[in-house]
Amino acid sequence: MRGTPTYNDDVDWDSWPVQDYLAENYRELHPSDAAVIAHHSAFYRRLEPGSAARSVEFGAGPNLYPLMLAAAASRQVDAIEASAAGIAYLNRQLDQGADPSWEPFYALCRELNPQLPPTLSQALSVVRVVHADARSLTPGTYDVASMNFVAEGITEDFTEFRQFCGRFVSSVRPGGRVVAAFMENMPTYRIGPASRWPGCPVNPRLVTDVFAPLTRQLSVTRIDSDSSLPDYGDSGMVLLTAVRPPA
């Protein structure tokens, strides 16, 4: 990494280009999305419906499918998001109904986990949008925590990546469960015609090194890059499930 790294607090997240990001990544169901949904669905199928009183999406962004998936096991899902642009999008989706482009995602989620309610609107009805920095969450608040394409895309500094992952794990109670997805070897990248955003290249070994001291029952896998997505310079995705150790 060259020069002085960009840290999370250096970035104007309120100007996150939501519509460009959605157009490039989520207006259709890509094979990599299907692979992440399959991985996360297996995680949620191991939980009894409604067994999690509170779950959290740690840095929700405008990606709705992690919120859909969590609804199978959760009585409430807090979508924690720091960006004003992300908050505005999430609130519109909940208040006015989700964009039709999310329906194929939900169909796959429900196919893989029939514990989900019949409709997308029912699944999203348990979601509460919270405008906050995920790092400020009170430790031990949640039964389940999910994080998708966040920690490696908010900083260029590996120490800050490690710290953010630590906050993620600590957001669940002892014995609570975590599920996550990371872009593999993600460099600094662009979305849309001009905007530049930080990236912290990680891989399965590095993710394992970060999470092994913090968790038990750690499982780290990966999938290859998806040629149907824009070339951000990544080499695939790293997927994780784990449990926070009992106190």
Side-chain angles (χ1 to χ4, degrees):
M1 200 173 293
R2 302 177 193 171
T4 302
T6 298
Y7 297 93
N8 179 68
D9 291 339
D10 297 332
V11 179
D12 177 15
W13 294 110
D14 288 342
S15 66
W16 175 256
V18 168
Q19 293 305 321
D20 287 335
Y21 180 71
L22 291 169
E24 292 180 11
N25 293 278
Y26 295 117
R27 290 308 184 199
E28 61 181 274
L29 177 59
H30 296 277
S32 57
D33 299 315
V36 175
I37 289 171
H39 174 269
H40 288 16
S41 292
F43 168 82
Y44 284 110
R45 283 197 306 269
R46 295 195 291 269
L47 307 179
E48 290 294 324
S51 59
R54 295 180 70 187
S55 296
V56 63
E57 186 61 30
F58 203 84
N63 181 3
L64 296 191
Y65 74 67
L67 303 174
M68 306 172 193
L69 290 161
S74 310
R75 302 196 293 276
Q76 177 178 306
V77 180
D78 287 353
I80 309 297
E81 173 61 24
S83 163
I87 287 290
Y89 178 78
L90 290 170
N91 280 328
R92 283 197 306 274
Q93 297 301 290
L94 297 185
D95 295 344
Q96 301 173 21
D99 294 339
S101 55
W102 290 113
E103 290 292 347
F105 290 82
Y106 192 65
L108 178 60
C109 291
R110 192 156 187 266
E111 176 186 338
L112 293 172
N113 192 352
Q115 297 174 172
L116 283 164
T119 68
L120 174 54
S121 62
Q122 288 173 305
L124 296 179
S125 69
V126 300
V127 175
R128 182 178 73 121
V129 179
V130 181
H131 193 178
D133 185 328
R135 297 171 296 179
S136 69
L137 295 178
T138 302
T141 298
Y142 295 97
D143 299 305
V144 177
S146 168
M147 179 173 68
N148 294 275
F149 317 121
V150 176
E152 77 284 17
I154 60 160
T155 182
E156 295 176 354
D157 180 69
F158 183 72
T159 297
E160 189 169 41
F161 168 83
R162 181 185 292 272
Q163 291 168 346
F164 199 88
C165 291
R167 295 289 184 90
F168 168 60
V169 173
S170 70
S171 71
V172 298
R173 59 173 174 77
R177 298 175 179 271
V178 298
V179 60
F182 307 88
M183 301 303 294
E184 183 183 62
N185 292 314
M186 183 73 149
T188 298
Y189 62 101
R190 292 187 181 277
I191 295 176
S195 67
R196 177 182 178 275
W197 304 92
C200 184
V202 300
N203 55 44
R205 179 184 60 80
L206 290 171
V207 170
T208 299
D209 287 347
V210 168
F211 281 88
L214 305 174
T215 64
R216 300 291 182 269
Q217 301 177 39
L218 175 63
S219 173
V220 177
T221 59
R222 69 172 301 280
I223 57 175
D224 290 330
S225 60
D226 185 343
S227 61
S228 72
L229 287 169
D231 182 4
Y232 294 120
D234 63 277
S235 58
M237 296 178 183
V238 180
L239 307 176
L240 172 151
T241 63
V243 176
R244 184 180 177 186

